[in-house]
Amino acid sequence: MSPKVNEEYKKQKKIDLLQKAKQVFIHKGYNGATMQDIMEAAGVSRGALYAYFDNIEHVYLELLRHEDRKHEIYFRSDDTENSWQQIKNWLNKQQAEIGSIEETLVLANSQFFSSAQYRNNKEIYPYIATRYEGTMEVLTGFFEKGAAQGEFALRLPAETIARYLISFMDGLIMDTAHMGPEKTKVNEQLGALLFTLEAMLGPVQDKTETTEKENKEDVI
């Protein structure tokens, strides 16, 4: 009798398959990728892959959800740094990713969401709306939590700031995917984003940081 596969193993196996699928989609795009490509990249049989995914659309949607969870976990985590520093750290990571955008899923995303399969079955694959609502919930909660902790003095509603951040990043990423980071001036744009976020969020300077700065000025 074969040993029973536990849920933790299945969960990790699915993640491993998605990571292999990600590389396939990055290098072949959504339109060029096949289930056979993923089988070969992952070194698994047809039965092993289809035990987790029904078809290429299913693989891609699960991959997108997996990637989105990384951002959700980041903004929901109880980080030791203050909320404003968390945002700056997140933007630094986005800058690095956009700088090597050819190694991301952006172009594959463009192909997937413009495909007839997706356009004609949005009720089956309501991913864009679900992703937007989920990201809105996470960011709004993050900004509100920062305000409640006295780290932000919000000058606009948290929900408005969240919508602004999503729209800005989605637009910058998509434009850069098609035209390149030099054309879209990614570094300058992210600097402008940080400037406007600071104006909207009103980050309150950490008391410890203020004290240290005052002490340094006294020494000088």
Side-chain angles (χ1 to χ4, degrees):
M1 186 176 179
S2 60
K4 187 176 181 180
V5 178
N6 62 45
E7 289 302 316
E8 188 59 36
Y9 172 85
K10 293 195 316 189
K11 180 180 179 182
Q12 186 57 52
K13 183 63 177 179
K14 184 176 181 180
I15 291 173
D16 292 342
L17 290 172
L18 289 174
Q19 291 304 318
K20 295 297 183 181
K22 180 179 180 179
Q23 293 307 309
V24 172
F25 288 122
I26 286 173
H27 294 113
K28 291 201 168 190
Y30 175 75
N31 292 339
T34 66
M35 293 293 273
Q36 184 64 39
D37 292 329
I38 297 172
M39 288 177 218
E40 293 175 1
V44 299
S45 66
R46 179 182 178 85
L49 183 61
Y50 278 87
Y52 293 90
F53 309 104
D54 300 330
N55 48 45
I56 200 76
E57 294 89 4
H58 187 196
V59 176
Y60 201 74
L61 285 167
E62 287 297 309
L63 175 59
L64 291 176
R65 293 187 183 104
H66 177 70
E67 292 293 298
D68 285 343
R69 287 189 197 106
K70 295 178 183 178
H71 298 297
E72 292 179 14
I73 291 171
Y74 181 84
F75 282 108
R76 279 180 169 151
S77 65
D78 293 325
D79 202 289
T80 55
E81 295 173 314
N82 65 41
S83 299
W84 180 237
Q85 188 60 50
Q86 277 187 263
I87 289 175
K88 291 195 287 186
N89 290 345
W90 181 78
L91 285 176
N92 285 336
K93 291 179 181 178
Q94 300 310 299
Q95 181 176 358
E97 287 187 13
I98 297 173
S100 56
I101 206 159
E102 68 279 357
E103 291 299 316
T104 71
L105 291 167
V106 174
L107 288 176
N109 283 348
S110 178
Q111 293 174 354
F112 176 74
F113 291 120
S114 62
S115 68
Q117 178 71 21
Y118 182 80
R119 292 198 310 271
N120 297 332
N121 294 281
K122 288 184 179 179
E123 69 281 1
I124 301 175
Y125 306 126
Y127 175 77
I128 291 182
T130 302
R131 173 187 179 271
Y132 187 85
E133 291 165 4
T135 306
M136 274 292 301
E137 178 186 349
V138 170
L139 288 175
T140 300
F142 177 80
F143 297 146
E144 289 177 343
K145 179 181 177 182
Q149 292 176 336
E151 295 176 351
F152 291 142
L154 301 182
R155 296 180 176 117
L156 287 174
E159 183 177 314
T160 300
I161 301 172
R163 290 188 193 282
Y164 170 79
L165 179 55
I166 294 170
S167 297
F168 187 103
M169 290 303 300
D170 283 353
L172 179 61
I173 289 170
M174 188 58 68
D175 287 346
T176 303
H178 290 289
M179 296 185 288
E182 293 184 1
K183 188 74 171 178
T184 56
K185 306 293 183 186
V186 170
N187 294 348
E188 293 177 17
Q189 290 300 302
L190 289 178
L193 173 61
L194 190 64
F195 178 84
T196 54
L197 284 176
E198 185 171 12
M200 290 186 284
L201 292 168
V204 179
Q205 191 175 30
D206 184 73
K207 292 181 180 179
T208 303
E209 182 182 332
T210 303
T211 302
E212 290 176 353
K213 183 178 179 181
E214 290 173 350
N215 289 339
K216 287 180 182 178
E217 290 174 350
D218 289 342
V219 171
I220 294 173

